[in-house]
Amino acid sequence: MSPQHCPATRPTTEATTSPAARLREARRRLSAGNPGHDLAPLLGEVIARSWQRSQAAGLAPSGRTPGAPHASAAQLARAMQRQYELLSQAEPVMDYLGGQISGTQSLLILADAQGMLLRTLGDAAFASRAERVALRAGAQWAERYRGTNAIGTALAEGRPVVVHGGEHYLERNGFLTCAAAPVVDPAGRLMGAFDLSGDHRAYHRSTIGHTLGLARSAAGMVEHRLFDSWHARSLRLRLHARPEGLGSLGEGQLAWSEDGVVIGANSAALALLGLAREAIGQARIEPLLQLDLRTLLDWAARPDGAPHALARGGAAPLWLRAEGGAALARRSGSVATAPAAPAAALASGRPEDALAALDTGDPAMAAAVQRARRVIAKPIALLLQGESGVGKEVFARAAHASGPRRDRPFVAVNCAALPETLIEAELFGYQGGAFTGARREGAPGRIREADGGTLFLDEIGDMPPAMQARLLRVLQDRAVVPLGGGRPVPVDFSLVCATHRQLRQEIAAGRFREDLYYRLNGLTLHLPPLRDRADLMGLVARLLAEVAPERALTLAPPLAQAMAAYRWPGNLRQLHSALRTAAALLADGEPQIGFAHLPDDLAEELQAARAVRPRLPLADAEADLRLQEAHTVARVVEVCQGNLSEAARRLGIGRNTLYRKLQRSGARPAGTG
C-alpha cells in the first residue's frame, strides 16, 4: 500500500479487501463510466484523482496508447541547456545517491517541470527493461501522456508520490514501482522532480517508504543547494523543530528582505510555517513569526549565530537561527566585507565582481562590461543582442550581481519557451478564478516577483504582439494589473532584455512594436560570438575552474590550437558543455585535457578544423600557451583566496616557482600563504 493512501477514509469492507481486488474493482468502476463512482476508498485520494485526470486526457488503460512525445538528441540538448541551473545542482546529488542504489534493480531519474526526463542513473540491466516503456532521457512522462506515474503525478499534485505496480493507470507500466518528489526553487516555482523506479516485485511496504525517503532526500538536497546559491548574500533564517536540527538537511530555510518580506524559502520552511508557495514574495515575516522586525535584524547582526526558541501557543517551540549580518554591514558601510581579490586583480586595480569575471581579455567583451557598469545603478534598461549561446543570461545575471539590487530577486523569463496561451498569466499574474484551471488564490506573476530586483526577459523578440502592448503599459505606468482585473500593483525593477533577433528588422516586418523597442533600448550591448573573441584561452581557464574547482586543469597544446581554429556554432554554451564532459572523463590525477576526453563528434570536428586551418606559428602558439598558463595560475590563487602554499600544492609546483610565474604574468603576490 502506498504511503499517501489513507485506510481510515475507506469503508471497512474495502479497507480489508486485498490490494489486487481493490485495483480490479477500481478499474471496473472506471470503465463503467459513472462519474458518481468514488475511487478514493479503493485507491486513496491522490491516485484516484490521477486516474480521473488520465481518463479525462483520453488515455486507455490497456492496449497500445497514442505515442507520447520523445525529444530528439538536439531537442534534449536544448532542454538540458535551458535546465542548466537544475542540472548543475542536481548532478552531484545524483552521483552521490547513485552509489546508494547500486545493485538494487532500480533507476534514479531527474525530470524537468514539464515531465521530460533529463538524466537517468542506475542499474544497467533494469535500465534496459525500463527503456521498453521509454523510461529514458528525452521521454515525456507528464500524466496526459503516460497516465498515473510517480513523476507526472508528483508534478501534477506538487507533492511526493508513490505509484506501486497496478496503481499505474497504463497497465503496461504495472511492472514498475516508482517514488517521486518535486523540486521547488526558492521562489516557490516547480523546477522538476526526482524519481526512483524499480521492479515492483522487489518492493514491499517497508521498502516503499525507504524509497520515497530517498527521493525526498534528493529533492531536499537540491533545494538546499539552490537556496544557498540564490540567497548566499541575503538575510536568512534556519528553522527546525529541534535546536540540533539547525544546519541539517531537514532544516527549513527562509530568506527575507530588510523590510520584512519573505523572498525565498525551501519546502521544509513552507511546511514548518504552514505557508503555500504563493506566499513567497508577499508574506511578511513579523506576523508570520510573531516577532518584531528589529529583534530579527538584531539577531542576524550578531556574530555568535545562537539559536532562539519561538513559542507557538500550546505547540512545541520552533527553533530558529538568524543569519546575514554581513549583508546588513555591507549596506550600512560599518565593516569592509568584500572578499579578498586575487593577486592579478589587486595589481591592476580593477573592480573584482561578477562583471569583472566576464572580462577575460577580449576587447569587445571588455567594452560591453565597461558600458554596463556605468548604467547598472541607473534606471536605464539594458538590451543584450547576440547569437544563441553567447552568454546573454550569464551577462544579465552578472550585471544584477554587480549592481545595487544584488540582494534582491533576479527573475528570468524565456519569452520563446512559454506557450502564447500561458505567457500573459506567467508574466502579469492572475486573480483567483480568472480562467479555467487557475489557482483559487491566484498568482502574483513574474513581474511582481521581480519587484525590487531585476527582471530578465530572454528572447524578447519572440513575445506575442498582444503581450508587447501589456508590457509597454507596465513599463510606462510602473504598475501591473493581474489577469482577471483588480487594482494596479506598483512595481519597481531593473529591466534587462535579450534577443538573437534584429529588432529593427522585426519592427519593419510588423512583428515588434516600435514604441516598446525604444522603452527597452536604454543601452544596447552586442555580445560577440565565440569565434570572434580573442580570449578563448582565458575563457577556457575560467570555465575549467568552474567545472572542476578542485583541480588545476589545462588543455594539451594540439587541442588548444584546434579549439582556436574551430568556429563554435554553439558558442559559450557548447564550449562549457565540452569542458564539463572532458573534466568528467579525466582520470584522477590526470591534469591535461586531450582529444580523447571530448565527445566523439566534437573531437572529429576539431581535428578537421585543425587540418584545414594553418597552424599557429611556433612563437604565437607558445604565447597562447603562456596566456593559458597565466590564467590558470591566477584562477587557482583566487580559488585558494591568496594562500600561495595551497595554490602551489594544487598546481603541483614549488612555492618559489609559483612566485616567478605570478611575477612573469604581472601579478604581484598578495602577501604570504
Side-chain angles (χ1 to χ4, degrees):
M1 190 184 304
S2 301
Q4 76 270 13
H5 298 168
C6 183
T9 64
R10 302 171 179 167
T12 304
T13 54
E14 293 177 332
T16 56
T17 308
S18 72
R22 289 198 299 274
L23 284 168
R24 286 194 298 271
E25 174 60 16
R27 292 197 182 277
R28 187 195 66 76
R29 292 185 185 184
L30 195 72
S31 63
N34 184 348
H37 280 322
D38 184 9
L39 301 179
L42 297 164
L43 301 172
E45 298 285 348
V46 172
I47 300 297
R49 283 196 299 268
S50 179
W51 275 32
Q52 288 160 345
R53 287 193 298 266
S54 303
Q55 186 182 52
L59 297 176
S62 58
R64 299 295 298 176
T65 58
H70 196 294
S72 66
Q75 289 169 332
L76 177 60
R78 285 195 294 271
M80 294 181 75
Q81 289 165 358
R82 288 195 300 271
Q83 299 298 330
Y84 171 75
E85 185 174 33
L86 173 62
L87 282 163
S88 65
Q89 302 296 351
E91 286 181 335
V93 175
M94 292 192 75
D95 292 340
Y96 168 72
L97 290 179
Q100 310 237 354
I101 63 169
S102 178
T104 62
Q105 287 284 305
S106 57
L107 285 179
L108 179 61
I109 300 168
L110 177 68
D112 68 12
Q114 287 70 49
M116 180 189 288
L117 308 193
L118 299 175
R119 189 182 171 199
T120 64
L121 180 70
D123 186 86
F126 180 74
S128 176
R129 187 179 177 197
E131 283 196 357
R132 299 175 192 170
V133 292
L135 206 60
R136 60 180 180 270
Q140 173 57 254
W141 276 76
E143 271 188 347
R144 64 182 181 277
Y145 301 121
R146 306 280 179 183
T148 303
N149 70 90
I151 293 169
T153 304
L155 292 172
E157 293 279 335
R159 58 178 287 182
V161 168
V162 169
V163 181
H164 180 44
E167 292 174 344
H168 286 85
Y169 181 81
L170 300 184
E171 293 177 357
R172 66 194 304 256
N173 295 332
F175 73 96
L176 296 167
T177 286
C178 309
V183 177
V184 179
D185 74 16
R189 292 184 297 269
L190 197 62
M191 292 191 79
F194 265 113
D195 172 85
L196 272 163
S197 292
D199 190 313
H200 79 288
R201 293 170 299 184
Y203 290 86
H204 49 80
R205 214 167 174 182
S206 61
T207 56
I208 285 176
H210 173 69
T211 303
L212 182 61
L214 277 178
R216 295 180 70 163
S217 294
M221 282 189 272
V222 173
E223 289 184 3
H224 261 249
R225 291 170 61 88
L226 285 165
F227 188 93
D228 288 341
S229 172
W230 285 34
H231 292 294
R233 301 163 65 97
S234 302
L235 291 160
R236 301 177 303 278
L237 286 179
R238 299 182 184 274
L239 309 164
H240 202 275
R242 298 191 301 272
E244 59 270 20
L246 296 174
S248 70
L249 180 62
E251 72 175 358
Q253 294 176 301
L254 185 144
W256 48 292
S257 64
E258 230 179 310
D259 56 357
V261 177
V262 175
I263 58 173
N266 68 352
S267 296
L270 295 176
L272 284 168
L273 298 173
L275 287 178
R277 295 178 197 160
E278 293 73 24
I280 299 173
Q282 300 183 52
R284 300 194 65 83
I285 201 163
E286 290 176 286
L288 190 62
L289 300 178
Q290 295 295 302
L291 279 174
D292 180 73
L293 184 59
R294 185 177 296 277
T295 300
L296 284 168
L297 290 169
D298 179 57
W299 288 351
R302 294 180 184 175
D304 58 3
H308 300 270
L310 180 68
R312 296 192 292 173
L318 184 64
W319 289 86
L320 60 88
R321 177 184 293 136
E323 299 175 347
L328 293 173
R330 262 197 314 274
R331 281 189 281 275
S332 67
S334 58
V335 293
T337 57
L346 288 173
S348 67
R350 69 175 183 263
E352 187 62 22
D353 56 16
L355 275 174
L358 300 183
D359 180 6
T360 49
D362 178 71
M365 199 66 181
V369 166
Q370 262 186 348
R371 298 180 75 198
R373 195 184 300 285
R374 291 176 181 174
V375 302
I376 53 177
K378 301 182 174 84
I380 297 175
L382 272 179
L383 178 60
L384 306 178
Q385 294 199 295
E387 296 175 6
S388 178
V390 296
K392 295 187 287 292
E393 182 170 351
V394 172
F395 194 101
R397 288 185 180 274
H400 169 77
S402 303
R405 298 174 183 260
R406 66 178 67 88
D407 296 316
R408 305 307 297 270
F410 177 92
V411 176
V413 180
N414 189 324
C415 300
L418 288 172
E420 187 169 344
T421 54
L422 296 181
I423 191 170
E424 185 175 19
E426 179 79 1
L427 267 180
F428 305 100
Y430 56 86
Q431 298 277 30
F435 52 89
T436 303
R439 294 176 179 171
R440 183 171 53 193
E441 63 275 20
R446 307 305 297 277
I447 290 176
R448 284 173 62 187
E449 290 172 359
D451 187 36
T454 298
L455 176 67
F456 174 61
L457 298 178
D458 198 10
E459 298 303 344
I460 186 70
D462 293 289
M463 179 176 279
M467 296 308 100
Q468 294 176 29
R470 285 209 64 182
L471 177 61
L472 178 63
R473 174 62 61 186
V474 171
L475 298 179
Q476 288 171 341
D477 297 347
R478 310 304 291 181
V480 60
V481 178
L483 187 63
R487 299 177 63 181
V489 180
V491 286
D492 168 40
F493 54 82
S494 178
L495 180 65
V496 183
C497 298
T499 180
H500 71 282
R501 299 184 184 277
Q502 295 297 321
L503 291 186
R504 289 191 178 276
Q505 295 177 11
E506 297 297 302
I507 292 169
R511 292 188 291 266
F512 201 84
R513 293 179 64 106
E514 188 172 16
D515 48 0
L516 177 60
Y517 172 76
Y518 289 114
R519 281 279 177 178
L520 306 179
N521 186 22
L523 173 65
T524 296
L525 299 175
H526 294 270
L527 304 188
L530 184 54
R531 63 182 174 274
D532 293 339
R533 292 182 62 159
D535 59 344
L536 178 63
M537 289 304 108
L539 284 169
V540 167
R542 176 168 68 82
L543 294 175
L544 284 175
E546 290 177 8
V547 300
E550 72 286 352
R551 304 168 71 182
L553 302 180
T554 59
L555 301 181
L559 178 57
Q561 292 183 14
M563 284 187 168
Y566 187 54
R567 290 190 59 79
W568 295 106
N571 289 299
L572 281 174
R573 189 179 292 138
Q574 183 186 12
L575 176 62
H576 185 273
S577 176
L579 293 176
R580 184 171 58 180
T581 300
L585 292 177
L586 279 171
D588 290 340
E590 193 174 6
Q592 197 169 75
I593 294 172
F595 288 97
H597 303 114
L598 299 176
D600 291 346
D601 56 343
L602 178 60
E604 290 174 5
E605 291 177 7
L606 286 170
Q607 293 275 25
R610 183 169 175 246
V612 170
R613 191 165 171 174
R615 295 187 182 183
L616 288 171
L618 181 60
D620 290 348
E622 289 176 348
D624 207 26
L625 291 174
R626 281 197 300 270
L627 181 61
Q628 179 187 350
E629 178 191 72
H631 279 296
T632 300
V633 168
R635 183 60 181 167
V636 172
V637 171
E638 180 182 1
V639 168
C640 297
Q641 298 181 331
N643 186 329
L644 299 186
S645 297
E646 174 64 14
R649 187 189 66 77
R650 292 196 186 191
L651 289 165
I653 59 178
R655 183 165 160 163
N656 290 336
T657 303
L658 176 57
Y659 266 103
R660 288 195 298 273
K661 290 182 182 295
L662 287 170
Q663 289 168 344
R664 188 167 63 227
S665 68
R668 298 178 183 274
T672 58

